[in-house]
Amino acid sequence: MQILVADDDTITAEVIAHALRKFGYEVTVVHNGLDASELLRTGRYKILISDWQMPGMTGLELCEEIRSRRSGGYIYVILLTSHGGIDNVVCGLEAGADDFLTKPFDPTELLVRVRVGERVLNLESRELMIFALAKLAESRDRETGAHLERMREYARVLADELTKQDAFCNIIDGEYVNLIYLTTPLHDIGKVAIPDHILLKEGSLTETEFEIMKTHTLLGAQTLREVSQHSPCAGFLQMATDIAISHHERFDGTGYPYGISGEDIPLCGRITAVADVYDALTSKRVYKEAYSHRLAKKIILEGAGAAFDSRIVEAFLQREADFISIQETLGDHADVLESHEFDTYEAHKS
């Protein structure tokens, strides 16, 4: 994260820069608002710490100038000021400031306020990124849209239920539940690189076709890693990457792409695996009819300890009513099958 500091007081500017560098940030210092404005146009800086009073362009004028631009991303502005009182706060907010730091400042308080800015920027980045990437996947697969809506709901329900289990209560918190809800729609982003004659094939895949289909996990993870390199605020993409690469791994180690097993599979991948298979089973696809909830439940129970983490299957059972409600609300309402011939290739084509 690169931070721009603008303050005409050289000592104050260097104290801020030193504190931020100590916390691991890259810092550029300028001593007037005009230089700050020019540097902000480069797009390299997402957080600005600016003095209120500066020659040439004040901090308030700089805020107003930033907010008047049609820029490609949000700039989080912290005004450094010795001014007190509600009137000055209102004035700063109206100019476009996001936060205030009063002189003299404490380095710990500075860090806290910068991290608040990072969280705000992260929220903006992830919402936009997820929407764009999910829509990209949707453009290739005519069934993906509703699938994504259901998937994130199923994953959210499972993660929420797991907070009640001792094994997960210290791992999964509200932020984790929110992140998996946001990132699960990206699980199949790699399918954008799968040829149409395989992705949209009606009927069974050949072994060769199935091997190609399996590469969507690697391609998806690669895509998300590359995106994250260009979006340093988008730390949430780590979970999306873990989901993309691991949601077809099996708890017994017979999945793909790496054949890892048990808790070596990221938790978010294990959760997504149950959600993904349930949705694939209960939805109509170009290669299969929809299965009933009863039949899908039977298949998932049979997979506990083998395909799936048994604890996540238990969470599925505890929230069965929620799964039914989501499927009824967001499903395609196709005729369902009560019996099946379960084909390994078809199971992984989801």
Side-chain angles (χ1 to χ4, degrees), residues 6-165:
D7 197 317
D8 61 321
D9 185 326
T10 302
I11 295 176
T12 300
E14 289 304 324
V15 168
I16 295 173
H18 176 75
L20 291 173
R21 289 176 183 134
K22 185 178 179 181
F23 293 131
Y25 295 99
E26 296 180 44
V27 184
T28 300
V29 174
V30 295
H31 299 296
N32 62 75
L34 293 174
D35 288 345
S37 177
E38 288 302 311
L39 283 178
L40 289 171
R41 291 181 185 277
T42 67
R44 296 198 305 268
Y45 306 95
K46 294 298 182 183
I47 294 181
L48 167 68
I49 300 175
S50 174
D51 190 21
W52 187 297
Q53 296 291 344
M54 292 186 293
M57 178 183 286
T58 67
L60 288 182
E61 291 169 340
L62 181 56
C63 283
E64 292 170 345
E65 200 268 343
I66 291 169
R67 299 304 177 222
S68 68
R69 296 177 186 173
R70 291 188 174 183
S71 61
Y74 192 77
I75 296 173
Y76 191 89
V77 179
I78 301 173
L79 276 183
L80 185 63
T81 178
S82 56
H83 297 289
I86 189 65
D87 290 342
N88 288 310
V89 171
V90 171
C91 183
L93 291 173
E94 286 181 341
D98 297 287
D99 202 353
F100 300 88
L101 191 61
T102 303
K103 299 177 182 180
F105 66 90
D106 180 270
T108 302
E109 182 184 3
L110 172 65
L111 175 63
V112 168
R113 294 186 184 279
V114 168
R115 286 183 172 170
V116 168
E118 285 187 295
R119 287 199 295 272
V120 171
L121 293 168
N122 191 36
L123 285 169
E124 183 208 26
S125 296
R126 70 188 185 187
E127 296 285 353
L128 293 173
M129 194 70 68
I130 288 170
F131 179 77
L133 291 175
K135 293 301 289 184
L136 176 62
E138 184 180 44
S139 70
R140 287 292 320 284
D141 186 348
R142 58 180 174 270
E143 296 162 341
T144 301
H147 172 56
L148 299 180
E149 293 290 332
R150 294 189 297 270
M151 279 288 295
R152 66 182 184 179
E153 292 291 345
Y154 295 145
R156 178 188 59 78
V157 166
L158 289 172
D160 180 66
E161 183 62 29
L162 288 173
T163 63
K164 302 174 185 177
Q165 295 188 19

Side-chain angles (χ1 to χ4, degrees), residues 159-202:
D160 180 66
E161 183 62 29
L162 288 173
T163 63
K164 302 174 185 177
Q165 295 188 19
D166 291 341
F168 300 108
C169 63
N170 292 324
I171 301 173
I172 302 176
D173 57 12
E175 175 64 9
Y176 188 100
V177 174
N178 188 44
L179 276 180
I180 201 166
Y181 174 83
L182 288 169
T183 56
T184 301
L186 298 176
H187 68 291
D188 275 342
I189 187 65
K191 285 186 176 179
V192 299
I194 302 300
D196 282 347
H197 74 275
I198 296 175
L199 183 64
L200 304 178
K201 181 178 180 179
E202 297 186 26

Side-chain angles (χ1 to χ4, degrees), residues 245-286:
I245 204 165
S246 67
H247 69 284
H248 283 298
E249 298 287 3
R250 289 170 54 98
F251 203 68
D252 61 6
T254 61
Y256 65 85
Y258 296 128
I260 55 178
S261 63
E263 295 192 3
D264 287 338
I265 304 169
L267 176 58
C268 54
R270 282 177 272 154
I271 292 171
T272 304
V274 174
D276 194 28
V277 170
Y278 178 83
D279 192 63
L281 292 172
T282 56
S283 302
K284 181 179 175 59
R285 295 286 188 261
V286 294

